[in-house]
Amino acid sequence: MAIQLDLSTSQYGTAFAAAYFRIVTASISREMGDTFTVMVDCSGFATATPTDDTHPVDFRRYHVPLATIEATAGDNFLSKCYTWVMTQSDMDGSTAV
């Protein structure tokens, strides 16, 4: 699972066509009461075949209620996270790869 997105700009001052984003963290935290939140970290790479030594060209962090992730379409928790991330405004135009 991954997400592809054209970046028109980056921290390196250049665009990256077909940047390859993957979820690097998806963690659940309990907030006050019985409220749970999911923190989703996505790293974007200039290559679709990053190794452990490849540095990201972009990074995005999202916080979302667990109930929202659970209500999202997908076969499992991680696929639901990917589907939800793709609906965010900063991922507009992304595709699943």
Side-chain angles (χ1 to χ4, degrees), residues 65-78:
L66 176 60
T68 301
I69 295 294
E70 289 176 333
T72 301
D75 294 333
N76 55 51
F77 177 74
L78 192 56

Side-chain angles (χ1 to χ4, degrees), residues 13-92:
T14 187
F16 289 97
Y20 178 86
F21 283 82
R22 64 181 177 194
I23 293 175
V24 294
T25 304
S27 64
I28 301 171
S29 299
R30 183 176 183 163
E31 304 293 326
M32 298 294 282
D34 288 330
T35 303
F36 291 87
T37 301
V38 179
M39 181 186 72
V40 181
D41 290 344
C42 294
S43 289
F45 301 92
T47 176
T49 55
T51 68
D52 289 339
D53 296 322
T54 306
H55 291 272
V57 296
D58 198 347
F59 177 84
R60 298 167 187 210
R61 174 170 282 171
Y62 306 95
H63 295 274
V64 55
L66 176 60
T68 301
I69 295 294
E70 289 176 333
T72 301
D75 294 333
N76 55 51
F77 177 74
L78 192 56
S79 68
K80 291 177 181 203
C81 288
Y82 273 102
T83 300
W84 182 85
V85 165
M86 290 179 60
T87 67
Q88 301 312 293
S89 61
D90 63 345
M91 295 299 263
D92 190 38

